[in-house]
Amino acid sequence: MKRRELVLALLVALLAAPCSRLLGDGAPGAEATKAYQSALAKLQAGDGVAAETGFLRAAELAPDWGAPNAQLGVLYQGQGKEAEAREQYALVQIASFAAGKYPEGDAATVLRKALIENEAYLIYLVNAARLQNGQRALVPDPTVGLVARAHSEEMRDKNYFDHESPTPGLTNCQDRFRAVFGYKPRMIGENVARRWGSMYCLRPEKILQSHTDLMNSPGHRRNVLYPTFEWLGLGLAANANGDYWITEVFVESGR
């Protein structure tokens, strides 16, 4: 039996640069964008019922967008509706996968389903920790999730575990963010974790254990609970043995 292992690492980078693009962009249609922006205004005004209606409308108009689902997930989690929140977070991660290029076939589909379910659960756990500690919930972003998942996959495929990538131009998390979004956010943080061994596989109880381990590490806990972060990107990768890699990217956009 292989020895069970857990490895964690963290990085926080403070950056001072203006933003030229907002997270949550990319709605496929003016009507969906209008419904989304209206729902945001209702949410900021404290009208959760009207906000929910607006986000549901935006999600109906743009089912592959993910941004309305992210807001719905946060809204439902704040109301104590775990199942509904996790369902919406899963839709965000489906949108994240849709934005990338991934293997096809039955086995790949099964793995992708497991990754999406566990990514959604980890988003829920991160936000549960923040709410329990008096911080606002983070809004999961499909594109930031794509950035996070790409790093997890590269660590798996190139057999390394680090914040620093060997790929030129993508050395650290701010490089990877900027390569996709085209700007440096005001602040960005990253947690990475790896778990392997014959007793580990990709299932919720192991994800919960990984989250607990991160929260028991002062630096990782600081990233999870940092008060000015706004957005979260979550990406998992796994191999045929059930070993898995986690990347969490935390963003304060500066907009």
Side-chain angles (χ1 to χ4, degrees), residues 50-65:
E52 178 184 4
T53 300
F55 289 133
L56 287 169
R57 177 58 177 160
E60 179 183 10
L61 291 167
D64 299 326
W65 184 11

Side-chain angles (χ1 to χ4, degrees), residues 118-142:
N118 284 286
E119 287 175 352
Y121 182 40
L122 195 45
I123 292 169
Y124 179 84
L125 292 173
V126 167
N127 277 338
R130 288 181 65 87
L131 293 171
Q132 289 164 8
N133 285 275
Q135 302 298 334
R136 63 180 174 182
L138 301 176
V139 180
D141 183 86

Side-chain angles (χ1 to χ4, degrees), residues 25-248:
D25 284 355
E31 191 174 356
T33 302
K34 182 179 179 180
Y36 178 79
Q37 295 295 341
S38 176
L40 279 179
K42 296 294 184 182
L43 187 64
Q44 291 165 358
D47 191 344
V49 174
E52 178 184 4
T53 300
F55 289 133
L56 287 169
R57 177 58 177 160
E60 179 183 10
L61 291 167
D64 299 326
W65 184 11
N69 305 105
Q71 297 290 348
L72 284 165
V74 170
L75 187 63
Y76 291 148
Q77 186 162 2
Q79 296 170 350
K81 300 177 180 178
E82 179 177 349
E84 291 87 344
R86 288 172 64 176
E87 179 182 7
Q88 295 300 322
Y89 293 152
L91 291 171
V92 176
Q93 298 310 103
I94 288 171
S96 179
F97 268 96
K101 296 181 179 179
Y102 299 95
E104 299 297 333
D106 293 343
T109 299
V110 170
L111 176 58
R112 188 154 53 243
K113 182 176 183 294
L115 291 171
I116 287 167
E117 290 176 351
N118 284 286
E119 287 175 352
Y121 182 40
L122 195 45
I123 292 169
Y124 179 84
L125 292 173
V126 167
N127 277 338
R130 288 181 65 87
L131 293 171
Q132 289 164 8
N133 285 275
Q135 302 298 334
R136 63 180 174 182
L138 301 176
V139 180
D141 183 86
T143 310
V144 183
L146 192 67
V147 172
R149 191 179 306 107
H151 186 57
S152 292
E153 291 174 341
E154 185 181 80
M155 288 191 291
R156 176 197 62 194
D157 296 342
K158 295 189 176 182
N159 193 30
Y160 75 93
F161 181 79
D162 203 330
H163 290 288
E164 292 198 358
S165 166
T167 302
L170 301 178
T171 302
N172 52 47
C173 62
Q174 55 263 47
D175 292 335
R176 296 187 284 272
F177 183 96
R178 185 174 56 238
V180 173
F181 285 91
Y183 74 92
K184 292 180 179 181
R186 177 175 294 163
M187 184 173 183
I188 189 166
E190 182 180 83
N191 288 346
V192 297
R194 180 185 177 185
R195 192 175 290 276
W196 71 94
S198 60
M199 293 183 67
Y200 291 96
C201 65
L202 193 64
R203 59 181 189 264
E205 57 266 34
K206 298 305 179 185
I207 294 296
L208 175 58
Q209 186 174 0
S210 292
H211 172 73
T212 300
D213 292 332
L214 285 165
M215 291 301 293
N216 286 336
S217 166
H220 300 93
R221 180 184 179 89
R222 179 178 181 272
N223 271 354
V224 171
L225 301 181
Y226 202 80
T228 63
F229 284 139
E230 307 162 291
W231 304 89
L232 173 65
L234 204 295
L236 292 173
N239 62 21
N241 298 325
D243 309 332
Y244 61 82
W245 292 254
I246 296 171
T247 302
E248 300 171 339

